[in-house]
Amino acid sequence: MNLEKLEFEKLIEQISTLYREKKYSQLKSILADINPTDIAVLFDEFPNEQRILLFRLLPKEEAAETFVELDGETQEALIHAFSDTELREVIDELYLDDTVDIIEEMPATIVKRILRNIDAQTRKSINTLLKYPEDSAGSIMTPEFVDLKKDNTVEDAFKRIRRTGVDKETIYTCYVTDSSRHLIGVTTVKELLLHDYGDKIEEFMKTNTIFVNTHDDKEIAANFLDKYNFLALPVVDMENRLVGIITVDDAIDVLQEENTEDIQNQLFSLCGLNCGLCPMFLNKYCPGCGGGEGNQYRIGIKERYSTDLNENSNIMQEKGICINYNDIIGVIFAEMTYGSFQQ
């Protein structure tokens, strides 16, 4: 179920009513029909106490998918409320790269609790992923992929996919490796379906495989996925051994980040003052709004009313002229007078 605005508002009212009346079985049925992404948006409308109960009404798989879509603050609140069993159930349903993303955003106490509730092999895999540079392909890959051998038959391949596929992020693209895990080819479930059970993988696999290295920039990987319309892209180490894949959903996230940075850079160039106060570049807070932790505002220096840097900064501090960090309208209309900015 995808939610339109009116539908969304009605749903919030319906959920609130059922919550007050403690009609949890009806709530469970309603939530089961909603897309996890929409559930995450819905959760923003409820206080933590209600979110926790609503989350506990979700089926395991849907709960994990919803958890990934929540903001870090809500995730942290839920983890605090979880028993160890509940935490383990959620983490077990997550793909490994999603678990890593969550760990990177959580405070140390939460991280310790997550690591304490996962098995040794998963903990080892997480530690490996966390060692890659932040902007590298290795940092966004997942080690959950289907690998085959060239002398496997189609029947062997399907048996392996059925046996291991439930824990893989994607099963459509399968990677062919040798005994030392070197990447030597790739095939797809479509190709497998079009061949006889007795045919060997080496007879039809593609050997001109496009891949990236763990230390390549993640934007390179994302652009490859976009350029070639891949669902997944293999990632190899310095010895050409297959260590993971990057899926299209992670590539979309990277491209969105890249586009946001490009837009921000273009908007910043409208200013031309280079006063050094912009928090977008120096991660500082606006002096006009008190510099509070939660008040990350972009200083409204978009009117070119002065070429003198010090005078400009003083005026900004006196008048507290700010625009919300995300309010690009004030940035686009850079030549507006400062009376048009809201303090």
Side-chain angles (χ1 to χ4, degrees):
M1 179 193 298
N2 291 318
L3 303 177
E4 300 297 332
K5 184 176 180 181
L6 184 60
E7 202 177 2
F8 182 82
E9 291 173 352
K10 287 182 178 179
L11 192 56
I12 292 173
E13 185 178 345
Q14 185 181 14
I15 290 174
S16 298
T17 301
L18 291 173
Y19 181 89
R20 285 194 303 271
E21 297 174 355
K22 299 184 179 181
K23 295 182 178 179
Y24 300 138
S25 60
Q26 291 183 43
L27 271 175
K28 188 172 184 177
S29 298
I30 290 172
L31 292 171
D33 290 332
I34 305 175
N35 185 283
T37 302
D38 291 328
I39 292 176
V41 177
L42 275 171
F43 275 21
D44 287 340
E45 305 299 320
F46 297 97
N48 274 337
E49 182 183 348
Q50 292 184 29
R51 289 175 188 168
I52 292 164
L53 185 140
L54 293 173
F55 187 87
R56 284 172 169 154
L57 294 175
L58 297 172
K60 279 186 184 180
E61 186 174 339
E62 190 175 6
E65 291 177 12
T66 300
F67 191 83
V68 171
E69 299 294 335
L70 297 170
D71 61 69
E73 184 179 337
T74 304
Q75 288 176 341
E76 186 176 345
L78 285 172
I79 291 174
H80 277 301
F82 288 160
S83 66
D84 282 351
T85 300
E86 287 174 320
L87 178 59
R88 199 174 301 118
E89 286 176 351
V90 171
I91 298 299
D92 284 348
E93 290 292 328
L94 295 178
Y95 291 119
L96 196 59
D97 57 332
D98 290 328
T99 305
V100 171
D101 289 341
I102 290 166
I103 285 175
E104 288 181 324
E105 297 297 322
M106 292 291 118
T109 53
I110 296 292
V111 171
K112 287 178 182 178
R113 190 169 171 222
I114 291 174
L115 294 177
R116 193 171 64 242
N117 281 281
I118 56 179
D119 61 77
Q121 182 56 49
T122 303
R123 191 158 51 244
K124 181 180 178 183
S125 298
I126 288 173
N127 288 333
T128 299
L129 292 178
L130 288 171
K131 290 177 183 176
Y132 291 110
E134 182 181 356
D135 292 326
S136 69
S139 70
I140 61 168
M141 73 179 183
T142 174
E144 296 164 322
F145 56 86
V146 175
D147 60 317
L148 304 171
K149 303 303 179 187
K150 67 178 184 179
D151 57 352
N152 286 158
T153 63
V154 171
E155 184 176 12
D156 294 333
F158 278 126
K159 285 180 179 178
R160 179 167 178 77
I161 292 171
R162 291 190 188 100
R163 187 175 69 253
T164 66
V166 68
D167 296 322
K168 308 304 180 186
E169 189 143 349
T170 178
I171 61 172
Y172 181 74
T173 307
C174 305
Y175 302 94
V176 187
T177 60
D178 62 18
S179 57
S180 299
R181 294 190 294 113
H182 296 115
L183 179 64
I184 60 174
V186 64
T187 190
T188 64
V189 169
K190 178 182 177 180
E191 287 293 327
L192 294 173
L193 289 169
L194 294 176
H195 285 83
D196 294 331
Y197 267 19
D199 290 350
K200 290 192 174 183
I201 303 297
E202 63 183 335
E203 296 171 10
F204 56 86
M205 71 179 189
K206 294 180 180 178
T207 55
N208 57 335
T209 310
I210 294 172
F211 58 86
V212 290
N213 186 275
T214 52
H215 285 77
D216 285 341
D217 193 290
K218 63 183 181 182
E219 289 184 10
I220 294 174
N223 288 326
F224 275 174
L225 280 155
D226 182 45
K227 178 179 179 180
Y228 296 106
N229 292 319
F230 289 158
L231 294 177
L233 181 72
V235 183
V236 301
D237 63 13
M238 299 304 290
E239 297 179 22
N240 203 44
R241 291 175 301 195
L242 182 63
V243 291
I245 61 171
I246 296 172
T247 52
V248 67
D249 58 323
D250 293 316
I252 290 172
D253 290 341
V254 172
L255 292 174
Q256 286 176 339
E257 288 174 14
E258 180 184 2
N259 289 337
T260 299
E261 288 174 7
D262 289 344
I263 291 170
Q264 289 173 343
N265 289 337
Q266 290 171 17
L267 294 174
F268 180 67
S269 68
L270 292 173
C271 171
L273 294 175
N274 296 321
C275 70
L277 291 173
C278 180
M280 186 181 297
F281 292 88
L282 293 184
N283 196 28
K284 292 184 178 179
Y285 298 114
C286 172
C289 61
E293 175 92 22
N295 297 322
Q296 293 191 32
Y297 288 100
R298 182 166 183 174
I299 297 171
I301 53 176
K302 299 307 161 187
E303 315 75 23
R304 298 184 181 90
Y305 54 81
S306 169
T307 56
D308 184 271
L309 175 59
N310 293 325
E311 179 188 348
N312 222 338
S313 300
N314 290 334
I315 291 174
M316 296 310 301
Q317 294 186 51
E318 286 175 12
K319 294 186 174 291
I321 300 168
C322 298
I323 55 173
N324 188 288
Y325 180 81
N326 292 314
D327 185 4
I328 64 170
I329 294 175
V331 183
I332 293 172
F333 293 100
E335 302 295 337
M336 293 172 64
T337 59
Y338 27 172
S340 62
F341 283 92
Q342 305 265 331
Q343 286 195 25

